[in-house]
């Protein structure tokens, strides 16, 4: 896979002068000093955020479908899904498996790419300083290359390959797949505004990432994003009504309205065109952007992300009256989410476990933890850049450093600062899940044993084993513990031990930011320590 040569050296040099959010280092140093001052000593553990960032990006290579490139770093994986789309006469080879199975679901895959792109947009300098910028672009491009293939006509998008029911019946390595590779599409007669809108958002966000390094590719992505948004908006409908095979696995509970707002905002950020911002203003109330108060952010429910992104984009003191009013409404809802995470929302807060983890629901709760940490990080940067040092929550004023502290506490919980003393990022630290619910990880590598493993043979010979998985799926963020911080590392406990691409994606930005803050904290300590006098 060839990627335009991003000027990583320029980013590293630039990041040495400024933080990724455009804040002068003097201001950032003050924030870092204040942040470490307000954190309790128990929270200041020596976590290696650079290592966590590196491992997070490595995970996406383990989830690749298609013909793997020469520089593939996850050696236990091989080529797979090489005939995807053949039955329908379209090339759908590539993309990502969403979790521990081998279906390619378009909606969560697109959200994964949007969040990876947003991480690079906000924290590209920090990612470059950690030496991971090229790997971040590779992870994004592996997804966007697939979306280009899947968008075969302005009003046609292939949104799923494989069938969840038959896929879950088998326990096989991806290299041995014998399950259905039926492909499913949306079109004018079978619309899917949610998945088309999210894919438009992903391609628009990715176009920003590639603007400097690969302008031709960036333009191509933007072309597809515009077409997909027009398709999603003109032919409205929920994709799980058109592709019923997706309904049991990734149903669009929130509807498609949030994705339309989300896509319009990313297109505005990518193009600067006012028409997209006007769309967000005109449809804000009807689509729930300025009306819904949400305490979660996920592949399905985008409202909090929409509200925070809108707050960032509606800036300047000379806005027209309609935009000024919309900006205030979007900001109020964005801060509802932030205050709810901070436990400062007059009782309407996100629940926390005894160990301090934000808890939304039992199944795969870590997706909400990682996305909250990311939104808190981004919003704290926004407030600082706007020279606003505190946020007015219903229960009182909250300093920007408290947003960063909460984001850090959630990242640290993931990495091991929790009652189980377990890192829920696989491969990081001394203790992490060893029996991840993941077919490829749990069966001997195809590179070591090329003998075919059949559909049920995998269940008989591998699924029930009590021993750890033979292949460590490094960088995977598993579903995590329950509301009492309890976690059972068992392969059959898929609610807790299955990992998903959209769990890890937001962490790329979070770990990059925390690595930079940690480095700056060390610099502050060194500057404040008097030089030893020579004897």
């Amino acid at each position: 896979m060839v990627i335009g040569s991003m000027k990583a050296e320029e980013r590293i040099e630039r990041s040495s002068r400024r933080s990724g959010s455009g804040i002068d280092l003097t201001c950032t140093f003050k924030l870092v000093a204040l942040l470490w001052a307000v954190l309790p000593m128990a929270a200041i553990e020596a976590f290696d955020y650079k290592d966590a960032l590196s491992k997070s990006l490595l995970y996406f290579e383990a989830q690749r479908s298609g013909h793997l490139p020469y520089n593939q770093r996850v050696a236990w994986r091989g080529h797979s899904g090489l005939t995807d789309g053949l039955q329908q006469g379209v090339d759908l080879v590539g993309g990502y498996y969403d979790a521990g199975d081998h279906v390619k679901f378009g909606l969560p895959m697109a959200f994964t790419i949007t969040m990876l792109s947003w991480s690079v947009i906000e924290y590209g300098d920090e990612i470059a300083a950690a030496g991971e910028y090229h790997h971040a672009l590779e992870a994004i491009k592996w997804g966007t290359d697939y979306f280009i293939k899947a968008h075969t006509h302005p009003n046609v998008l292939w949104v799923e390959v494989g069938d969840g029911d038959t896929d879950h019946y088998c326990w096989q390595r991806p290299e041995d797949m014998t399950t259905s590779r039926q492909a499913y599409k949306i079109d004018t007669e079978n619309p899917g505004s949610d998945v088309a809108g999210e894919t438009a958002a992903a391609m628009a966000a990715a176009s920003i990432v590639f603007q400097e390094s690969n302008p031709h590719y960036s333009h191509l992505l933007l072309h597809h994003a515009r077409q997909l948004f027009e398709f999603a908006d003109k032919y409205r409908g929920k994709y799980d009504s058109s592709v019923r095979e997706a309904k049991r696995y990734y149903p669009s509970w929130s509807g498609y309205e949030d994705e339309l707002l989300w896509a319009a905002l990313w297109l505005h950020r990518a193009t600067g065109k006012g028409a997209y911002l006007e769309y967000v203003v005109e449809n804000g109330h009807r689509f729930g952007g300025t009306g819904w108060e949400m305490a979660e952010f996920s592949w399905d429910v985008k409202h909090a992300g929409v509200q925070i992104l809108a707050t960032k984009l509606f800036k300047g003191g000379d806005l027209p009256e309609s935009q000024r009013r919309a900006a205030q409404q979007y900001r109020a809802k964005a801060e509802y989410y932030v205050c709810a995470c901070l436990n400062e929302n007059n009782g309407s807060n996100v629940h926390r476990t005894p160990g301090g983890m934000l808890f939304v629901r039992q199944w795969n709760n870590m997706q909400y933890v990682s996305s909250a940490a990311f939104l808190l990080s981004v919003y704290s940067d926004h407030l600082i850049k706007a020279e606003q040092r505190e946020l007015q929550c219903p229960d009182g004023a909250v300093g920007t450093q408290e947003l960063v502290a909460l984001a850090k506490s959630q990242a640290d919980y993931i990495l091991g600062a929790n009652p189980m003393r377990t890192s829920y990022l696989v491969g990081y630290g001394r203790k992490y899940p060893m029996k991840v619910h993941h077919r490829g990880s749990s069966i001997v590598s195809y590179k070591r044993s090329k003998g075919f493993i059949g559909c049920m043979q995998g269940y008989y010979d591998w699924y029930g084993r009590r021993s750890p998985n033979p292949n460590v799926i490094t960088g995977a963020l598993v579903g995590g513990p329950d509301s009492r911080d309890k976690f059972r590392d068992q392969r059959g406990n898929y609610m807790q031990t299955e990992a998903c691409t959209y769990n890890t994606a937001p962490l790329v930005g979070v770990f990059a930011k925390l690595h930079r803050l940690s480095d700056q904290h060390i610099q502050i300590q060194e500057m404040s320590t008097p030089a030893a006098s020579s004897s």
Side-chain angles (χ1 to χ4, degrees):
M1 180 170 56
V2 179
I3 292 182
S5 55
M6 179 62 191
K7 302 167 186 174
E9 296 84 358
E10 291 182 12
R11 279 193 167 271
I12 294 172
E13 182 181 352
R14 189 192 329 162
S15 68
S16 69
R17 299 192 304 268
R18 301 180 66 83
S19 71
S21 56
I23 305 162
D24 290 336
L25 285 182
T26 302
C27 177
T28 307
F29 282 157
K30 291 178 181 178
L31 171 64
V32 174
L34 190 56
L35 168 61
W36 256 257
V38 299
L39 285 174
M41 288 305 296
I44 307 176
E45 296 195 26
F47 291 112
D48 187 342
Y49 300 116
K50 181 179 178 181
D51 185 45
L53 170 62
S54 300
K55 286 177 164 56
S56 296
L57 286 166
L58 187 64
Y59 165 63
F60 294 99
E61 297 190 24
Q63 294 301 107
R64 285 171 171 170
S65 178
H67 193 281
L68 301 185
Y70 73 93
N71 60 348
Q72 168 81 8
R73 294 179 295 162
V74 180
W76 51 267
R77 279 296 321 281
H79 308 313
S80 64
L82 299 182
T83 61
D84 284 358
L86 182 64
Q87 185 179 348
Q88 287 74 34
V90 58
D91 178 7
L92 296 176
V93 176
Y96 287 110
Y97 303 122
D98 73 300
D101 49 25
H102 304 136
V103 183
K104 294 192 293 197
F105 291 103
L107 182 57
M109 191 194 306
F111 180 68
T112 296
I113 300 305
T114 306
M115 295 308 296
L116 281 172
S117 298
W118 198 1
S119 289
V120 173
I121 291 167
E122 297 290 342
Y123 302 112
D125 290 342
E126 288 85 345
I127 294 170
E132 293 295 333
Y133 196 81
H134 181 73
H135 292 139
L137 264 62
E138 283 186 324
I140 293 168
K141 195 170 186 291
W142 192 267
T144 52
D145 282 350
Y146 174 77
F147 295 147
I148 291 170
K149 290 182 176 183
H151 187 212
T152 54
H153 180 275
N155 296 332
V156 175
L157 179 67
W158 295 85
V159 299
E160 182 175 331
V161 179
D163 171 59
D165 291 342
T166 58
D167 187 274
H168 286 191
Y169 181 74
C170 296
W171 195 264
Q172 289 178 289
R173 300 175 297 200
E175 297 82 5
D176 291 328
M177 272 191 293
T178 56
T179 51
S180 169
R181 302 308 288 171
Q182 172 76 33
Y184 304 89
K185 67 180 179 179
I186 56 170
D187 53 29
T188 57
E189 296 182 358
N190 302 282
S193 301
D194 29 30
V195 66
E198 183 59 61
T199 308
M203 298 181 95
S207 76
I208 300 171
V209 171
F210 289 100
Q211 273 177 354
E212 295 180 23
S213 64
N214 195 338
H216 173 75
Y217 188 67
S218 172
H219 179 77
L220 178 62
L221 292 176
L222 199 52
H223 172 72
H224 282 279
R226 285 168 167 157
Q227 286 189 339
L228 282 167
F229 177 71
E230 291 174 10
F231 168 43
D233 190 40
K234 185 175 181 179
Y235 300 96
R236 295 181 182 177
K238 290 174 58 177
Y239 93 110
D240 57 9
S241 296
S242 299
V243 182
R244 297 190 179 276
E245 289 76 8
K247 198 173 188 69
R248 285 187 58 192
Y249 301 95
Y250 287 100
S252 184
W253 293 114
S254 70
Y256 57 78
E257 292 85 356
D258 50 341
E259 278 87 5
L260 289 177
L261 295 173
W262 184 239
L265 285 168
W266 279 113
L267 278 162
H268 171 71
R269 187 159 185 178
T271 65
K273 291 192 174 181
Y276 293 117
L277 207 57
E278 278 303 311
Y279 182 94
V280 174
V281 171
E282 293 172 4
N283 294 287
H285 179 72
R286 187 155 54 101
F287 287 178
T290 58
W292 284 28
E293 296 176 332
M294 303 301 299
E296 65 180 81
F297 175 54
S298 69
W299 59 265
D300 178 31
V301 185
K302 309 289 183 352
H303 294 88
V306 165
Q307 291 152 358
I308 285 177
L309 185 58
T311 301
K312 285 171 60 66
L313 296 181
F314 282 113
K315 54 188 176 183
D318 55 348
L319 294 174
E321 176 59 24
S322 62
Q323 289 192 12
R324 186 184 62 79
R325 190 166 53 249
Q328 291 173 342
Q329 293 169 338
Y330 275 109
R331 176 169 181 158
K333 302 310 177 187
E335 294 185 351
Y336 178 95
Y337 173 83
V338 173
C339 293
C341 289
L342 289 165
N343 203 31
E344 297 285 348
N345 207 41
N346 195 27
S348 299
N349 299 309
V350 180
H351 177 71
R352 294 195 196 185
T353 66
M357 177 184 67
L358 295 171
F359 188 84
V360 176
R361 55 181 55 89
Q362 186 176 3
W363 195 315
N364 188 21
N365 182 68
M366 277 301 180
Q367 64 176 306
Y368 307 108
V369 176
S370 63
S371 63
F374 181 84
L375 290 185
L376 288 165
S377 297
V378 168
Y379 202 67
S380 70
D381 291 340
H382 166 72
L383 292 176
I384 294 168
K385 194 171 184 180
E387 298 184 350
Q388 181 178 341
R389 295 301 173 192
E390 58 182 29
L391 172 67
Q392 292 297 326
C393 289
D395 292 340
V398 178
T400 53
Q401 74 276 5
E402 295 182 53
L403 278 68
V404 185
L406 179 57
K408 182 181 186 300
S409 74
Q410 298 307 298
D412 290 353
Y413 186 104
I414 288 170
L415 296 180
N418 56 68
M420 298 291 290
R421 291 290 182 260
T422 295
S423 166
Y424 296 110
L425 191 76
V426 178
Y428 179 90
R430 296 180 180 178
K431 180 185 177 185
Y432 51 82
M434 304 293 288
K435 302 172 187 175
V436 180
H437 183 91
H438 188 279
R439 286 160 174 76
S441 171
S442 67
I443 301 174
V444 63
S445 170
Y446 181 78
K447 302 286 184 69
R448 290 183 55 197
S449 176
K450 296 189 184 301
F452 176 76
I453 295 176
C455 172
M456 297 306 293
Q457 183 184 352
Y459 274 115
Y460 298 144
D461 294 349
W462 295 96
Y463 181 79
R465 290 194 179 195
R466 295 184 178 181
S467 56
N469 289 358
N471 310 304
V472 177
I473 185 157
T474 301
L477 177 60
V478 298
D482 61 19
S483 61
R484 305 300 297 173
D485 299 298
K486 300 300 183 184
F487 177 80
R488 291 183 298 111
D489 187 12
Q490 297 176 4
R491 203 167 292 116
N493 181 21
Y494 45 82
M495 285 196 295
Q496 293 189 326
T497 63
E498 189 167 23
C500 303
T501 57
Y502 47 86
N503 292 14
T504 296
L507 291 179
V508 171
V510 174
F511 289 148
K513 173 171 178 160
L514 291 176
H515 170 58
R516 171 55 61 86
L517 289 176
S518 180
D519 271 2
Q520 291 169 349
H521 177 59
I522 293 171
Q523 292 175 33
I524 292 170
Q525 287 183 318
E526 290 175 347
M527 288 189 296
S528 62
T529 302
S533 57
S534 56
S535 54

